[in-house]
Amino acid sequence: MVILDTVEEDLISRVMAYLREHSPDEASLAEERLSCLRNFGAAISCFPSVRKSQELRGGLRVKGGIIASLGNFSPSARLLHTPTRIVATRGFLVAKTHAFSLLLMLTTEKPEFRKPLGRTIFSIICTLIAEDVYISCLDDPDFNDEKKDVLAEDLISLWDSGTDPRSIHHIPSLQALWAARHGAPPCFGTMDGSSELVRVSIDLDEDWQSFILDGISRDETRWALEEFLFGLSYEEIQEVRTRLKRFKVNAVDHEEVRSYLGRNPSFTMVKKNDPRGIYDFYVDRRDSAYFRAHTKSPGPKNTLEGLYLKYRIAAE
């Protein structure tokens, strides 16, 4: 069943009690949106489970066949060949994000709701990110068949229920990474990234330290980390560094970066009051990485979150 879990329902109950008391009209709007979300989940559950085999006119559609074709899932051209349950469940996660973002918007004056609502939205974002990473892992020669089978089962569970069983292990680490980034906004300076890396890493656990020690000597990890820390694309970072060197400038601030580029940075700026911007920023970097991989252009071919999750999965 594609439903909200007990923690989410408890949070909704507390928020709705507050809205009914302080803003009945807004409470009605929220109730209507949540009712649509629950009905959507119930409707999705009527579609065949991705786990079940189905015989259609002598042909058998089996789970293994779907898993084998996962490499074709990401391109938009494959949309009409993707089982309804998978497409609809992804739509449910988007609708769920909108519903909880509405609750967050309607309770801005209540700090006690801000964190739990933000955590819920962030967990959905992590699920969407994890889906991307799991699919890429299935085509990664560094993962053995046993590991790929486990990841495939997690994907099937996600598409059947809207939840990722592996997320309980990875969401706290991604939350900590983003909290550290928020707590250490880029100061640009010499653009070498070392001060940002130190400020981010100091608040993270041994798992992150091991990931950095293992990968920081590789260009791929270093470039993805710089995009994450500075909020600029690899190409923009190289452009700013070239100008610093050309004009013998030792440091640069945020406003000067824009003047150096002659435009706004290409990646979405993440705002603390809208967690959805985290996913927008991730997708900007992911799509840039896909383009570089396809065109064999220099720069990172993965996002930092993707590299970090792959490292954690491989270490399990």
Side-chain angles (χ1 to χ4, degrees):
M1 293 288 291
V2 182
I3 57 175
L4 301 172
D5 64 30
T6 54
V7 174
E8 292 165 344
E9 289 287 11
D10 177 67
L11 176 58
I12 287 171
S13 295
R14 290 187 285 117
V15 171
M16 292 307 303
Y18 167 78
L19 289 176
R20 291 188 191 101
E21 181 178 353
H22 294 88
S23 183
D25 289 343
E26 291 180 339
S28 296
L29 172 64
E31 284 176 341
E32 181 180 356
R33 183 70 58 82
L34 290 165
S35 176
C36 289
L37 180 65
R38 293 187 181 97
N39 290 339
F40 188 17
I44 294 171
S45 298
C46 294
F47 285 95
S49 167
V50 183
R51 293 183 183 280
K52 292 181 179 178
S53 300
Q54 284 187 302
E55 186 171 353
L56 297 173
R57 294 204 169 192
L60 189 65
R61 190 203 78 170
V62 297
K63 179 179 69 174
I66 296 171
I67 295 300
S69 64
L70 284 179
N72 297 327
F73 177 69
S74 293
S76 57
R78 305 297 180 186
L79 179 63
L80 298 182
H81 302 277
T82 306
T84 302
R85 180 96 175 205
I86 296 176
V87 177
T89 300
R90 197 171 177 85
F92 177 82
L93 293 174
V94 173
K96 185 177 174 182
T97 303
H98 291 327
F100 278 89
S101 295
L102 174 63
L103 296 181
L104 182 62
M105 186 187 307
L106 297 179
T107 57
T108 52
E109 71 285 359
K110 295 291 287 183
E112 61 265 41
F113 292 139
R114 191 176 306 132
K115 283 189 176 181
L117 287 170
R119 280 197 301 268
T120 300
I121 297 168
F122 187 80
S123 70
I124 302 168
I125 291 168
C126 287
T127 298
L128 292 169
I129 291 174
E131 181 189 35
D132 276 345
V133 175
Y134 294 169
I135 291 173
S136 68
C137 286
L138 293 175
D139 290 326
D140 193 326
D142 290 338
F143 288 86
N144 60 37
D145 290 342
E146 183 179 355
K147 186 75 71 175
K148 289 180 180 181
D149 286 344
V150 173
L151 290 172
E153 282 298 321
D154 287 343
L155 275 168
I156 294 297
S157 178
L158 168 61
W159 293 330
D160 258 357
S161 66
T163 59
D164 168 27
R166 189 179 295 273
S167 65
I168 59 172
H169 303 295
H170 299 311
I171 286 180
S173 294
L174 288 176
Q175 282 181 318
L177 177 60
W178 269 97
R181 185 185 188 274
H182 284 320
C187 62
F188 296 101
T190 60
M191 290 291 292
D192 68 0
S194 58
S195 61
E196 284 79 13
L197 175 58
V198 170
R199 285 187 292 143
V200 165
S201 297
I202 199 169
D203 293 325
L204 296 175
D205 58 19
E206 292 181 3
D207 182 74
W208 169 261
Q209 312 294 340
S210 298
F211 165 69
I212 287 297
L213 289 173
D214 180 73
I216 199 60
S217 62
R218 291 192 288 270
D219 288 341
E220 177 78 0
T221 303
R222 189 173 69 255
W223 290 336
L225 178 63
E226 288 175 347
E227 286 196 333
F228 180 80
L229 292 175
F230 289 124
L232 302 174
S233 70
Y234 167 82
E235 294 78 10
E236 289 168 337
I237 292 170
Q238 302 312 307
E239 187 176 344
V240 172
R241 282 176 173 160
T242 298
R243 290 181 64 86
L244 288 174
K245 184 177 181 180
R246 180 188 306 164
F247 296 107
K248 298 180 180 179
V249 178
N250 294 324
V252 63
D253 63 25
H254 185 268
E255 291 305 317
E256 287 176 317
V257 165
R258 293 189 179 190
S259 67
Y260 275 35
L261 294 173
R263 61 187 183 278
N264 288 332
S266 57
F267 290 163
T268 300
M269 182 179 293
V270 180
K271 299 177 181 178
K272 287 186 179 180
N273 60 350
D274 189 355
R276 291 174 298 180
I278 294 173
Y279 186 67
D280 297 336
F281 180 48
Y282 164 77
V283 168
D284 286 344
R285 288 175 290 125
R286 180 202 66 188
D287 290 351
S288 293
Y290 283 169
F291 176 79
R292 294 187 199 104
H294 181 70
T295 59
K296 296 180 171 54
S297 302
K301 310 302 190 292
N302 287 279
T303 64
L304 180 68
E305 295 93 328
L307 291 170
Y308 187 31
L309 278 178
K310 283 187 175 183
Y311 174 83
R312 290 176 56 85
I313 292 168
E316 290 178 340

